[in-house]
Amino acid sequence: MRYAIKPEKVMTSSGELLNKYVVINQGKIERIQVEKPTDCDVHYYPDSYLSAGFIDVHIHGRAGADVMDENDTALATIAQALPQTGVTAWVGTTVSAPWQNILSSMQRMKDYIQQGKQSGAELLGSFMEGPYFTERHRGSHPTEYLMPPTIPQLEELLQISDRTLLRVAIAPEIENAEPAIKWLVENGVKVSVAHTNATFEQVTKAYYLGADCGVHLFNGMSALHHREPGCTGAVLYHDMLAEIIADGIHVHPAVLNLAYKLKTYRRMVLITDCMRAGGLPDGEYMLGVQTVRVENGQARTFDGSLAGSTCSLDQALRNMVFKADVPVWEAIQMVTTIPATYLGVADRIGDIAVGKEANFTLLNKELQVQATYIQGEQVYKCGEKF
């Protein structure tokens, strides 16, 4: 099926394109042109921006489901709920829990991906967030499940995930962290620093070993100080990608702007860190093996620690633009091209370019999601059920 979309602006990785027609054929972008196509229908969207589909590299769940739920429907539930937030691809994220629970979650995600029957947002792979963390900055990760990494554990993890494991988070100062980082990088798994009390020097060493990302910048890490820059300072200083939760709760808008000025859009990626309560009312919900309370949209453990978020990626985008004063085009790169490049999937998604998959998010001027397309098929339209 061939058709064309004509928005006001097309947001590509190279800039904003005006008065362009994007022609889609068989689920891919066939061409981008100035002239009105004569060989297909044209769908006009005046006063709208056409972006590549959003990619969330760090999300635990949504719509009442979590990647660690021990059933066969949770992953599909999350995938079906994400397009209404503009997300067309995501990385399923675990939490600290009994080791066998983590392995089971990795197995389910691997099976879900390899079955080749996905619908909704595409699950790209998995991210193991925990249990290789330090007590002081564990956040919502239960103390009893924290542990140092071992190579046999990592070998088991890689085997059971069958190369669908994309990321592992580690606190650089814990026992065995350095050999674990080196082993993971050598085996093609991206390593992030997280939930850590590491010094600037310890994170710097991890960076030179191959750790290339800081998980939810400012949260769950040693803070920036003018005499000891800590993990926060190291992530800001080095050429590391910085995840950031722009929900208006985890990081003040002024600090979002400061981080943007230091890292630029090229080294920042917006994440949700969303748990199962995303899109649902306040109440009590499970995160991994513990119960968290959501009040006024804030998810916290009973001891008061933030426990992920209930934020959506489109809301994070709006916050970066309207609260943190980041230009629209640059903020859009933080949820499209930058995460696609980081995950190594930019050859097929994360941009609007000839030959790429026709994954789109259509936004109005207020950056509200109007429609979402996956491989050329409209899977969400504002105000309609699919």
Side-chain angles (χ1 to χ4, degrees):
M1 175 183 172
R2 179 187 284 114
Y3 67 95
I5 296 177
K6 173 65 165 61
E8 178 180 320
K9 292 181 180 180
V10 179
M11 300 295 199
T12 74
S13 64
S14 57
E16 302 176 3
L17 304 182
L18 297 174
N19 300 315
K20 298 287 187 178
Y21 294 85
V22 180
V23 180
I24 297 94
N25 188 19
Q26 300 299 316
K28 293 191 175 183
I29 301 168
E30 184 177 89
R31 59 188 191 270
I32 302 171
Q33 61 189 60
V34 174
E35 302 82 9
K36 178 182 176 181
T38 58
D39 58 349
C40 62
D41 293 335
V42 178
H43 303 165
Y44 290 93
Y45 296 102
D47 301 319
S48 296
Y49 305 142
L50 187 69
S51 162
F54 300 166
I55 302 169
D56 195 341
V57 305
H58 182 162
I59 175 172
H60 299 275
R62 192 167 181 85
D66 187 283
V67 301
M68 297 193 74
D69 288 348
E70 302 221 5
N71 61 62
D72 296 329
T73 62
L75 298 175
T77 297
I78 299 166
Q80 292 290 339
L82 286 174
Q84 66 183 298
T85 70
V87 173
T88 60
W90 57 295
V91 177
T93 306
T94 62
V95 294
S96 298
W99 184 246
Q100 191 55 51
N101 290 29
I102 294 173
L103 292 179
S104 296
S105 179
M106 294 292 174
Q107 174 82 50
R108 285 191 299 274
M109 285 191 273
K110 182 263 292 185
D111 291 344
Y112 180 79
I113 292 168
Q114 294 186 348
Q115 285 170 1
K117 298 179 180 179
Q118 295 198 49
S119 62
E122 179 188 1
L123 178 61
L124 298 171
S126 57
F127 172 28
M128 193 176 79
E129 188 193 13
Y132 304 146
F133 296 151
T134 190
E135 169 66 23
R136 180 169 178 179
H137 290 288
R138 65 180 178 83
S140 62
H141 293 260
T143 299
E144 59 266 36
Y145 303 123
L146 302 184
M147 65 176 78
T150 68
I151 301 304
Q153 270 186 348
L154 297 177
E155 290 173 338
E156 182 181 24
L157 189 66
L158 208 60
Q159 180 178 20
I160 203 165
S161 64
D162 194 16
R163 300 290 173 174
T164 60
L165 176 66
L166 301 179
R167 311 179 59 199
V168 170
I170 295 179
E173 76 276 22
I174 66 172
E175 182 184 358
N176 298 332
E178 291 182 11
I181 293 170
K182 184 178 179 181
W183 188 91
L184 285 164
V185 171
E186 288 175 348
N187 282 274
V189 180
K190 301 189 77 63
V191 177
S192 301
V193 295
H195 293 279
T196 170
N197 197 42
T199 64
F200 179 87
E201 287 73 18
Q202 287 170 322
V203 178
T204 296
K205 191 165 187 180
Y207 167 68
Y208 285 116
L209 287 171
D212 61 0
C213 179
V215 174
H216 38 55
L217 181 64
F218 302 108
N219 296 111
M221 61 177 62
S222 46
L224 175 68
H225 186 276
H226 58 283
R227 285 190 293 273
E228 170 44 64
C231 181
T232 300
V235 174
L236 290 169
Y237 181 78
H238 292 297
D239 186 26
M240 302 176 77
L241 188 71
E243 286 187 3
I244 203 154
I245 308 173
D247 62 351
I249 298 166
H250 283 76
V251 184
H252 190 280
V255 180
L256 290 174
N257 182 269
L258 287 171
Y260 156 72
K261 288 176 178 176
L262 285 169
K263 299 299 291 184
T264 79
Y265 76 87
R266 294 178 180 85
R267 302 305 290 156
M268 287 185 71
V269 60
L270 303 186
I271 62 163
T272 61
D273 197 10
C274 187
M275 46 89 72
R276 73 172 72 246
L280 299 178
D282 287 355
E284 292 187 359
Y285 297 89
M286 294 300 295
L287 177 62
V289 294
Q290 66 179 324
T291 303
V292 301
R293 181 181 292 121
V294 178
E295 295 181 357
N296 299 317
Q298 296 188 29
R300 294 182 181 272
T301 60
F302 289 118
D303 64 7
S305 295
L306 286 168
S309 84
T310 62
C311 188
S312 61
L313 208 52
D314 60 320
Q315 183 61 62
L317 175 70
R318 289 191 292 274
N319 288 342
M320 287 300 287
V321 173
F322 301 124
K323 294 184 179 180
D325 297 321
V326 174
V328 173
W329 179 84
E330 294 189 21
I332 285 175
Q333 303 313 301
M334 298 179 192
V335 295
T336 56
T337 304
I338 305 307
T341 301
Y342 178 69
L343 294 174
V345 293
D347 60 321
R348 63 181 185 89
I349 62 175
D351 194 8
I352 300 178
V354 174
K356 300 288 179 73
E357 293 179 14
N359 291 358
F360 305 127
T361 302
L362 190 73
L363 304 162
N364 63 17
K365 295 293 183 65
E366 289 72 44
L367 303 183
Q368 302 281 349
V369 177
Q370 302 303 294
T372 306
Y373 296 77
I374 295 178
Q375 294 186 357
E377 179 183 354
Q378 189 177 78
V379 295
Y380 170 75
K381 184 176 181 181
C382 185
E384 295 184 11
K385 290 187 177 181
F386 278 70

